[in-house]
Amino acid sequence: MNLLPHMLAWLMAGTLSAGAMAADAPTPSDFAWRATLAVPAGASAARITLPAEAMQRLQSRDARDVRVFNADGEAVALSMVAPAGSTSSPAVQTGRYPALPLFSATGGKRPGRNSVQVQLDQNGQQGSVWVRFDGRTDAPGTAEPASTRLPSVLFDTRADKQTIDALTLQADFPANALVHFSLASSTDLAHWTPVVLKGPLFRFDGADAPSNQTLALQQPLPLEGRYLRLSWDGQTPVQVQHMVGSVAATWTPPPRVRAALAPGVAEGNASLTWSLDFATPLAALHLSTSRDNALVPVRILGRNDAAQPWRLLAQTAVYRLGTAGQPSTNPAVSLGGVSVRWLRVEATQGMALPTADLQATLEFEPLQWVFLITGKPPFELVAGHARSTPSAINSAVLASAMTAKLEDLPSASIASVRLQTASAADSNIQRWLPAGTEQRSVALWAVLLVGVLVLGGVAYTLLRQLSAKPTPAQPGDGTPGA
C-alpha cells in the first residue's frame, strides 16, 4: 500500500521533466546543420542565403527551423526575404516603324487599291476604317475624294520579337499644350485591347523649355504578332511620322539551389527510390544520363509515409541524343514545390531504367534571410530541427526599423560547416517515425504510456486486495474465543 504514492510521484516527476524538456527553446547543438558566419565589419545587419547542404536538413516546409545564434547562444532577430534576381536595363531601341494613317470612306468603299479594312470602335459603335500599307503619307483629305483621314495611325510591329515599355514619337503637334494619346493592340485588325499610357506629350516654346515626346507604358508590351493603333483628339492637329520603341528591361529570377542525390535504391531494373530526410519543398528534379543516344520515358512518384501508396508527381523523358560534343538533353521537370520523404523514378513503356548511368539532381527555390548582428561574434547559422516553432519576424517590420533597404544590406558568408551526426540507432528509429516527428516527443509519449500502464497495474492490485474476502476463524486454531 505504501508503493502507490511513490509510483505517482515518480510518474509526475518523469512527465513534468519530459514536458519541460520538450518545451525548452532549442540551442545550437539541437540543430542538424551548423555553420559559422563571417559577417561584414561594422554592419548592423546582413543577408545570408541558405546553401544546399542546409536545405537538405530542414524539417519544415516553411523553413521555420532556421536560426542565427551569437556567441552567447542567443537567437538574434531574423526575417525571410525574397532573394534578389538580376535586372538588365539595356539602352536599346527597336527599329523605326512608319505611321500608317487610317481613313474613313464614304459608303464603305475602299479608299485606294492598297488599303486594308480595319474594325474600329468609333464613339461606342463598331465601324470599318481603312489603312494604306503603300507608305504614302498624304495630307488630310488628299488620299481620295471620298475618304477622310482619321486622328489615328497604325504601326505594324508583327515581326518584332522584343518587348517595349515606351514609345518615342517623331510627330508634329501644337506647342504650349498637352496632347493626350490612347494606344491599343491587335493581332487581327478586328479585336483591340487597350494599352494604358502614362502621361501626355508636350512641347513648350523656348530654348530650354520642357518637352516630352515619349509615351511610357503602364506595363511592358510584347510586339510580336501585333499591330499598334495610336489615337488622339481629332480637334488637335497632330502629324505622326514614325515611332521607335524602348526595349523593356528584363528581370531574371535568382538561380535555383541544386543538390545532387546519392545513388538510389534499385528495385528491379525499372525503378530507383530515394529516402529524403528533409521537408524542404522540391522545385524541380533533373534526371540525366551519360549514355549516348538514349531515351527513356519515366514517372516520378512520391509519398510521405512508408504505409502510404505512391502518388504521381510528374512524367517526363530522360534522353541524350545527337553528337557526343553537343548532345541534346532533357531539361529539369517541375515538381511544383511538393514536400515528400520518399522519391521514386520508374521507367514506363516496358523499358529498363539506366540506373548505372542515371544522375538525379534536386532543385530548390533559394531562401534568403536578413539577420541583426546582435551580441558577440562568432555568429552561427543553424538548420534542421523537427519541432521548431516559427521565429522569423515579418520582413515589413524589420524594414520599417532599418535605415537601409533590406536588399541593399551587405552579405555574410559561410566560414565553416559542422554537422550533428546522429547515432545509427537514432537514424534507424527516426526513419520509421512519421515525417516531422522528433524522438524527444516520442520519449515523452513513451513516459506517459508507461505511467498509464503502471497506474493500471496498481489499480488492478488494489482492486484484487479489496475484493478478497477474509477467511473465517476455525475452532482450535489458537484465536481468542475459540
Side-chain angles (χ1 to χ4, degrees):
M1 293 295 295
N2 295 331
L3 181 63
L4 180 59
H6 295 288
M7 295 296 294
L8 290 176
W10 174 84
L11 176 62
M12 293 179 64
T15 303
L16 290 174
S17 62
M21 180 174 60
D24 283 344
T27 61
S29 60
D30 294 326
F31 291 81
W33 182 91
R34 301 166 63 183
T36 303
L37 297 178
V39 298
S44 60
R47 294 180 294 115
I48 186 66
T49 300
L50 211 61
E53 298 86 357
M55 288 193 169
Q56 291 179 284
R57 301 294 191 280
L58 291 180
Q59 299 300 308
S60 58
R61 284 183 51 87
D62 57 357
R64 64 178 57 189
D65 52 328
V66 172
R67 301 284 193 282
V68 174
F69 289 97
N70 60 22
D72 295 325
E74 300 171 334
V76 303
L78 81 165
S79 176
M80 183 184 290
V81 295
S86 59
T87 302
S88 62
S89 52
V92 177
Q93 292 186 322
T94 66
R96 179 181 297 184
Y97 291 98
L100 306 174
L102 295 177
F103 298 91
S104 64
T106 305
K109 296 180 180 180
R110 180 191 296 267
R113 290 173 298 176
N114 296 316
S115 299
V116 176
Q117 190 174 19
V118 178
Q119 295 295 323
L120 184 64
D121 283 329
Q122 300 183 89
N123 299 324
Q125 296 183 349
Q126 278 283 350
S128 295
V129 297
W130 303 85
V131 59
R132 294 205 316 240
F133 287 95
D134 56 5
R136 294 177 56 186
T137 55
D138 300 333
T142 64
E144 292 289 341
S147 65
T148 303
R149 187 167 179 173
L150 300 174
S152 188
V153 293
L154 197 71
F155 302 106
D156 184 2
T157 64
R158 290 173 296 170
D160 199 325
K161 296 184 178 182
Q162 301 180 97
T163 298
I164 64 171
D165 57 10
L167 305 175
T168 300
L169 302 181
Q170 178 63 44
D172 298 324
F173 51 88
N176 305 318
L178 300 179
V179 183
H180 295 271
F181 291 84
S182 61
L183 187 66
S185 69
S186 174
T187 58
D188 56 7
L189 295 177
H191 304 89
W192 295 88
T193 302
V195 178
V196 181
L197 299 174
K198 297 180 182 178
L201 298 189
F202 53 84
R203 176 177 58 85
F204 292 92
D205 291 331
D208 297 325
S211 65
N212 175 42
Q213 291 192 237
T214 299
L215 294 170
L217 310 184
Q218 190 76 33
Q219 298 290 339
L221 176 69
L223 297 179
E224 186 175 11
R226 297 176 184 270
Y227 298 94
L228 302 184
R229 190 187 78 228
L230 185 69
S231 304
W232 58 90
D233 183 5
Q235 305 301 319
T236 305
V238 175
Q239 289 289 317
V240 180
Q241 285 83 41
H242 64 261
M243 78 87 174
V244 174
S246 298
V247 177
T250 57
W251 183 81
T252 303
R256 286 173 171 169
V257 178
R258 297 167 60 89
L261 285 175
V265 177
E267 300 178 14
N269 65 349
S271 68
L272 283 174
T273 302
W274 292 267
S275 175
L276 307 181
D277 297 327
F278 56 87
T280 313
L282 308 178
L285 174 66
H286 184 237
L287 300 170
S288 60
T289 179
S290 57
R291 180 181 298 179
D292 292 331
N293 295 323
L295 188 149
V296 181
V298 297
R299 299 191 307 162
I300 301 172
L301 308 127
R303 64 183 180 185
N304 278 310
D305 193 290
Q308 292 178 347
W310 292 99
R311 59 190 177 100
L312 181 65
L313 302 180
Q315 296 187 80
T316 186
V318 182
Y319 59 85
R320 182 185 178 89
L321 305 171
T323 61
Q326 292 182 333
S328 173
T329 58
N330 57 284
V333 58
S334 174
L335 298 183
V338 67
S339 177
V340 294
R341 290 293 179 151
W342 279 270
L343 190 66
R344 186 172 187 174
V345 175
E346 291 182 350
T348 62
Q349 310 302 118
M351 301 184 69
L353 195 67
T355 55
D357 306 303
L358 191 71
Q359 175 63 55
T361 303
L362 293 174
E363 294 186 1
F364 309 101
E365 296 296 347
L367 298 176
Q368 191 173 94
W369 302 83
V370 168
F371 66 95
L372 296 184
I373 304 176
T374 307
K376 297 182 297 184
F379 292 87
E380 211 174 22
L381 174 68
V382 300
H385 189 273
R387 294 194 63 200
S388 289
T389 56
S391 65
I393 64 176
N394 190 289
S395 59
V397 175
L398 186 60
S400 64
M402 300 288 296
T403 56
K405 294 182 179 179
L406 298 185
E407 58 268 23
D408 295 335
L409 292 174
S411 296
S413 59
I414 293 176
S416 61
V417 175
R418 178 168 49 177
L419 300 179
Q420 302 289 103
T421 57
S423 66
D426 290 344
S427 299
N428 292 332
I429 293 173
Q430 187 67 40
R431 183 177 297 275
W432 290 102
L433 295 178
T437 303
E438 192 183 29
Q439 294 185 39
R440 187 164 57 181
S441 177
V442 176
L444 173 61
W445 284 104
V447 169
L448 293 176
L449 179 60
V450 171
V452 171
L453 293 177
V454 170
L455 286 177
V458 172
Y460 177 73
T461 302
L462 290 176
L463 287 175
R464 288 194 61 183
Q465 291 178 356
L466 292 175
S467 61
K469 296 181 180 180
T471 304
Q474 300 295 328
D477 62 357
T479 57

